[in-house]
Amino acid sequence: MTGATGFLGHAVLRLLRARQLPLRALVRRSGELSLEPDEEVVGDLADPPSLDRLCQGSNSVIHLAAALGAASPARMHAVNVEGTRTLLSAACRAGVERFVLISSVAAGRPHHGPYSRTKRQAERLVIDSPLCSAVLRFPVLSGPQSQLESGVLGVARRSPLVPVLGGAPLRPLPVDDAAAACLAAAQRSQAAGIYTLAGPQALSFAQLARCVLQEHGLSRAVVSLPPTMIYPVVALLERIWGAPPITVEAARAAAAGTPPSSPRAEQDLGVPFRPGVSAV
Ligand SMILES: NC(=O)c1ccc[n+]([C@@H]2O[C@H](COP(=O)([O-])OP(=O)(O)OC[C@H]3O[C@@H](n4cnc5c(N)ncnc54)[C@H](OP(=O)(O)O)[C@@H]3O)[C@@H](O)[C@H]2O)c1
């Protein structure tokens, strides 16, 4: 597995541990994982020997690592495209049986910017490889310490007013459901090709922000603004705030809403549909 130190990676690690499945994880620095895998390989997607050590003797690779958010376009290309290419080569050399790439619904909308473009390029590399592979396109993921949560809290800590994006509702996917889908894709031979996954509830950005504020006991006014008003503000924040709560590309993708799940997703991946589950 790559990306085990990240938000989704932590949930996958927790699930693998709970099911007592053996795991080898690629980490850039030793000792940063919240739970111990069976084996830690210190390396990088740009370091082929570490990827050979990662893949050696493995049945499946779950590739979560990516450059997202405020990373530069060059970094996104290096990590998301070239990193995936290097990992695929290592997986082929090691005779890995299944390769799972975690992608984003943004990859289905290639015109929003470098994140969606590089994720789509990575998808093509995986689908065109000789390995038996599955690509999971996730919408925004929800759960404690999600980007959604930290973005809303980041604004709420600086302002009495939380401006949010209007536009189409989102269908956030609970991070534990996303982790279950990653594991199912790594284990089920019928899971092949590209799957889009959507969460169980359609919620506006304002509803999501209010849930986050309520869970953290914060009282703030949430104001829904039309996307055309939000983009210039976000562009300004991107320039003055090193890691803004949302990028223009992410705002554009969010405003477009969440596409529905692929018809085969539930059957092939057994993704649980849990109406009424907490959105945050
Ligand atoms: N979060 C979401 O809402 C969301 C929605 C849709 C799709 N996704 C996809 O889900 C996956 C995981 O996202 P996340 O939210 O968990 O991201 P994250 O928290 O930012 O984690 C990114 C992970 O990638 C690793 N990484 C980055 N560059 C690397 C490199 N050069 N070599 C090795 N590892 C590297 C990071 O390692 P360090 O800890 O060392 O930096 C970290 O473990 C990504 O592919 C993302 O595109 C996420």
Side-chain angles (χ1 to χ4, degrees):
M1 169 180 173
T2 68
T5 51
F7 169 63
L8 174 59
H10 176 64
V12 175
L13 198 56
R14 208 168 42 223
L15 185 62
L16 285 160
R17 271 281 139 274
R19 300 210 185 151
Q20 299 185 333
L21 292 164
L23 169 74
R24 186 183 293 148
L26 180 75
V27 290
R28 292 200 282 179
R29 290 159 300 275
S30 186
E32 291 202 343
L33 288 166
S34 45
L35 295 166
E36 288 300 311
D38 296 283
E39 210 180 310
E40 197 181 74
V41 172
V42 178
D44 193 288
L45 286 173
D47 173 27
S50 66
L51 302 184
D52 282 334
R53 291 198 298 280
L54 181 75
C55 294
Q56 212 60 59
S58 300
N59 303 99
S60 305
V61 170
I62 305 178
H63 180 31
L64 308 171
L68 46 158
S72 70
R75 174 130 197 87
M76 285 189 186
H77 183 83
V79 176
N80 301 351
V81 183
E82 296 311 325
T84 299
R85 195 193 304 276
T86 314
L87 181 60
L88 276 170
S89 301
C92 287
R93 279 194 296 276
V96 160
E97 286 161 26
R98 294 193 56 76
F99 191 100
V100 181
L101 171 72
I102 304 313
S103 188
S104 160
V105 294
R109 302 179 181 127
H111 304 302
H112 283 126
Y115 176 65
S116 51
R117 189 173 58 244
T118 56
K119 291 300 271 188
R120 195 177 175 93
Q121 285 172 297
E123 287 185 351
R124 270 283 45 98
L125 291 173
V126 171
I127 293 298
D128 291 346
S129 82
L131 294 173
C132 175
S133 58
V135 170
L136 306 185
R137 287 181 174 170
F138 289 147
V140 63
L141 301 177
S142 59
Q145 287 163 29
S146 63
Q147 282 177 323
L148 189 76
E149 187 188 82
S150 41
V152 170
L153 294 178
V155 175
R157 290 200 182 104
R158 291 168 166 86
S159 157
L161 196 100
V162 179
V164 296
L165 196 68
L170 302 172
R171 283 189 165 274
L173 185 67
V175 69
D176 289 335
D177 289 355
C182 293
L183 190 51
Q187 291 184 308
R188 294 181 172 208
S189 54
Q190 72 265 41
I194 299 181
Y195 295 88
T196 298
L197 299 174
Q201 287 176 294
L203 296 159
S204 69
F205 226 116
Q207 285 173 306
L208 285 164
R210 286 193 193 100
C211 288
V212 170
L213 293 168
Q214 197 179 348
E215 288 213 349
H216 289 265
L218 293 169
S219 161
R220 299 281 188 280
V222 176
V223 188
S224 200
L225 298 174
T228 45
M229 271 179 80
I230 286 265
Y231 298 151
V233 179
V234 173
L236 185 70
L237 283 178
E238 262 191 79
R239 253 184 286 154
I240 57 178
W241 195 338
I246 190 167
T247 60
V248 175
E249 180 178 5
R252 284 189 192 280
T258 308
S261 288
S262 305
R264 294 175 299 125
E266 192 153 347
Q267 184 191 327
D268 290 2
L269 301 169
V271 180
F273 179 77
R274 299 184 301 181
V277 74
S278 164
V280 289

